Amino acid sequence: MDGNATLPALAVERLSVALSGRTILDHVGFSLAPGSFCGLIGANGSGKTTLLRSILGLVTPSGGTIRCAGGKPGQAIGYVPQKIQFDPFMPLRARDVVGLGLDGHRFGIPLPNAARRARVAAMLAAVDAERFADQRVGDLSGGQQQRVMIAHALIRAPKLLLLDEPLANLDLRSIAEVVGLLHRLTEKQGITVLLSAHDMNPLLPVMDQIVYLAHGRAVSGTVADVVRGGVLSQLYGYHIDVIRVHGRVLVVAAGGVEAQDGSLLCDPVHVAPIP
Amino acid sequence: MVLSDFLSVLAGFWQNGPVQVALAVGGGAALVSAVVGVFTVLRGQAFAGHALADVSSAGGSASLLLGLRPLVGFFAMAALAAGGMEALGARAVRERDLVTGIVLGAGLGLTALFLYFDMTSTATTGAAVSVMFGSMFALAPGTVTLALGVAALALAASAALYRPLLLIALDPDLATIRGVRVRAVGFAHVVVLAMAVSLSAMTIGAILSTALLIGPAACGLRLARRTGTAIAIAAGLGLLATWGGIFLAYDSFYWTPGHGWPVSFFVVAIIVGAYALTGLRGRAG
Ligand SMILES: Nc1ncnc2c1ncn2[C@@H]1O[C@H](COP(=O)(O)OP(=O)(O)OP(=O)(O)O)[C@@H](O)[C@H]1O
Ligand SMILES: [Mg+2]
């Protein structure tokens, strides 16, 4: 099985998706090496969610191929959807949500089972969620809920983990914690991570690869290869400057306008005050 | 002596035939409504539950005309409505409310027709009250087996759907990628819901069955951190309200000379009281 090591964990070729007659993705192609950490970067509405849902088989593409090492999505791919809204009345502890990741698709009531309980506990420990494992999920903070959902996605030991904007609404500390956790997963367990975000900056220290989406098209490669004025100008179809300052990357469209808070509006990253 | 009065009432209560039937059928209805109610609230289908109950009243009133067992009529109509809602198939919540409202309107139109015929035929003059507000003490003894059979079937189906329903409530996409047939499970749940509301329509009445479906479940969801606990609290409260209501209604024959108070009133009063109390309390296990 040595040959498998060279097979990509995920290969997307000429993927096109149309929703309600509108082209959302247009000949998107990229492939991910096993164990790599990849950021899927694009502005709101650029098609990040659509791309992830296509990989999962939730959206039917109008063309192209998607190949995933290891077979069926539910088995080989873990998924953390964009902004899960936990009903405040949802009668589930963090522990129960993780348990549903293991056998939620089965019929019947889960019977008390020591092996199952141990597996859930180990997963909660792996995402550092033991402290709040017995609280109702609806009562947890955004960062805590995100870790619970990551545990839910990981408990069946998938090879590929897709996360849709898991860093949105998190404060800087929680962002660092979640990114660090995912980075450790790629390093220690060889899991391939594809994570969507509109801001690439928190991912810069850990990203092996970037897939940059704009106007339904994508470029991919290392950050150094892709996040360049020339490459992004070609993708957007108008002039883009990439500014590197204080270890942050700012992608600025020509003619960017002042926003009300005094920051420069650009696409897709707001120029945020440097913390 | 107040105590000896109470004990003699209690002795008569246990030995009374209609009371025994009411305790059995009402208990089954309460148990099923509580369990199904928890998932119904989680799925945001309280309105659909109420609509199915109202529509089932068309079946209940028709069964009186045709001489069928009321439970058969209630369930046939509720199941038909469930199928109708599924056929009109609406994904979005707003759309779903619309479809529910349309099916509800159509069903109540039929109820009006059948109840009118019921009332004009001398044999079934009390039909409107018994269909809408229940006839706990007028249940035919032969109904017990059928009602408890339907109750057992509904409980078994709810147990089977337990985990898939929770996973769907968490996120339908997550359920889909794990191979859950989200739509089929949803439809199966609506059929179980139709069984639950038919049982309670027959006992505490079509209109008040919503109280038995939603009230205990809402209390359980307020108090519990775990699904099992929420269901246990809902089931306990549903049984307490129904059995307590039956006892109070029986006892009320001694309060007001000549007539008692309706069971449904007491059942709903206990549920509303319990819901108000749960607002004051923290969470259980
Ligand atoms: N069901 C649909 N029918 C038609 N258009 C759709 C549908 N779903 C999404 N779209 C459109 O597809 C485009 C891409 O949407 P998508 O949700 O994939 O973007 P995104 O990059 O995930 O955005 P965000 O950062 O806001 O999550 C958007 O312009 C959206 O309006
Ligand atoms: Mg999105």
Side-chain angles (χ1 to χ4, degrees):
Chain A
M1 299 295 277
D2 267 346
N4 273 353
T6 58
L7 272 183
L10 175 72
V12 174
E13 281 168 26
R14 295 187 308 282
L15 175 71
S16 295
V17 173
L19 296 174
S20 325
R22 235 185 83 209
T23 301
I24 309 294
L25 298 176
D26 183 15
H27 290 82
V28 167
F30 62 93
S31 71
L32 304 184
S36 62
F37 191 118
C38 177
L40 172 62
I41 308 298
N44 290 137
S46 58
K48 302 181 293 295
T49 299
T50 305
L51 175 57
L52 295 177
R53 296 184 85 242
S54 314
I55 296 167
L56 290 161
L58 296 167
V59 170
T60 312
S62 51
T65 58
I66 298 166
R67 268 174 297 130
C68 168
K72 286 202 293 182
Q75 199 69 42
I77 308 181
Y79 177 45
V80 178
Q82 187 169 12
K83 51 174 184 255
I84 281 219
Q85 284 153 351
F86 289 105
D87 194 312
F89 285 143
M90 185 80 88
L92 295 172
R93 301 165 302 171
R95 191 182 294 288
D96 303 319
V97 171
V98 178
L100 281 177
L102 193 60
D103 54 20
H105 59 294
R106 299 242 174 87
F107 287 116
I109 297 168
L111 300 171
N113 174 334
R116 179 182 192 269
R117 217 175 308 133
R119 207 165 151 189
V120 169
M123 203 61 246
L124 285 161
V127 299
D128 197 17
E130 290 152 306
R131 267 183 310 112
F132 45 84
D134 290 315
Q135 290 182 39
R136 231 202 245 231
V137 272
D139 293 341
L140 300 179
S141 75
Q144 292 172 331
Q145 288 180 348
Q146 211 52 263
R147 274 186 270 171
V148 172
M149 289 315 295
I150 291 171
H152 171 101
L154 283 177
I155 194 160
R156 285 171 75 82
K159 292 279 185 295
L160 174 63
L161 182 59
L162 308 183
L163 305 103
D164 200 357
E165 305 241 22
L167 308 179
N169 299 320
L170 299 192
D171 61 21
L172 288 173
R173 211 180 108 218
S174 307
I175 288 179
E177 278 174 15
V178 171
V179 170
L181 163 70
L182 294 170
H183 184 55
R184 283 197 300 282
L185 287 170
T186 59
E187 299 224 297
K188 294 209 180 115
Q189 301 184 29
I191 292 174
T192 311
V193 168
L194 177 61
L195 178 155
S196 81
H198 53 266
D199 180 6
M200 73 180 85
N201 281 296
L203 305 173
L204 289 176
V206 299
M207 236 184 331
D208 299 307
Q209 191 183 338
I210 187 169
V211 174
Y212 200 112
L213 276 182
H215 304 322
R217 292 180 302 137
V219 282
S220 78
T222 63
V223 175
D225 287 343
V226 170
V227 186
R228 294 162 62 172
V231 175
L232 294 186
S233 296
Q234 175 118 38
L235 178 69
Y236 278 98
Y238 45 80
H239 186 78
I240 296 286
D241 284 313
V242 173
I243 303 166
R244 288 186 157 80
V245 55
H246 294 294
R248 291 169 64 86
V249 173
L250 308 175
V251 177
V252 184
V257 287
E258 292 274 321
Q260 278 160 347
D261 61 359
S263 66
L264 196 63
L265 268 187
C266 51
D267 184 10
V269 183
H270 291 291
V271 178
I274 291 153
Chain B
M1 265 315 284
V2 177
L3 183 65
S4 63
D5 280 354
F6 179 76
L7 288 178
S8 74
V9 169
L10 205 58
F13 178 72
W14 290 123
Q15 279 155 23
N16 184 297
V19 165
Q20 288 168 352
V21 173
L23 288 176
V25 179
L31 208 55
V32 173
S33 289
V35 174
V36 174
V38 166
F39 292 105
T40 304
V41 172
L42 276 184
R43 292 172 60 78
Q45 288 184 318
F47 180 44
H50 180 74
L52 287 183
D54 279 359
V55 172
S56 78
S57 66
S61 46
S63 68
L64 294 179
L65 284 178
L66 301 172
L68 291 171
R69 288 182 177 213
L71 182 57
V72 174
F74 278 117
F75 178 69
M77 201 60 205
L80 199 69
M85 289 183 203
E86 175 69 15
L88 292 173
R91 295 280 83 82
V93 173
R94 270 177 68 103
E95 227 179 313
R96 209 167 63 188
D97 273 0
L98 241 145
V99 166
T100 305
I102 289 167
V103 170
L104 170 60
L108 282 180
L110 285 178
T111 308
L113 177 71
F114 295 144
L115 279 183
Y116 183 80
F117 288 156
D118 278 331
M119 285 190 299
T120 48
S121 132
T122 44
T124 51
T125 36
V129 170
S130 77
V131 167
M132 290 303 184
F133 299 104
S135 53
M136 198 74 99
F137 290 136
L139 297 169
T143 308
V144 177
T145 325
L146 177 66
L148 293 186
V150 171
L153 194 66
L155 287 178
S158 278
L161 298 174
Y162 184 92
R163 274 181 288 187
L165 283 174
L166 285 177
L167 189 56
I168 293 169
L170 199 59
D171 184 77
D173 278 354
L174 284 176
T176 306
I177 62 173
R178 296 297 300 283
V180 173
R181 294 169 61 198
V182 172
R183 195 160 172 189
V185 169
F187 181 58
H189 177 259
V190 175
V191 173
V192 178
L193 179 56
M195 292 184 193
V197 298
S198 324
L199 282 170
S200 45
M202 185 176 69
T203 48
I204 77 162
I207 292 195
L208 294 174
S209 67
T210 307
L212 204 52
L213 184 72
I214 304 305
C219 293
L221 288 170
R222 257 188 176 181
L223 294 177
R225 275 180 301 158
R226 312 169 61 165
T227 315
T229 317
I231 289 176
I233 292 173
L237 178 58
L239 285 176
L240 177 82
T242 305
W243 287 342
I246 292 170
F247 177 76
L248 289 174
Y250 177 84
D251 197 47
S252 70
F253 280 100
Y254 302 97
W255 308 353
T256 40
H259 64 88
W261 297 33
V263 183
S264 311
F265 166 74
F266 292 111
V267 174
V268 173
I270 294 172
I271 290 173
V272 171
Y275 185 73
L277 278 180
T278 58
L280 306 174
R281 218 191 141 277
R283 256 163 220 166

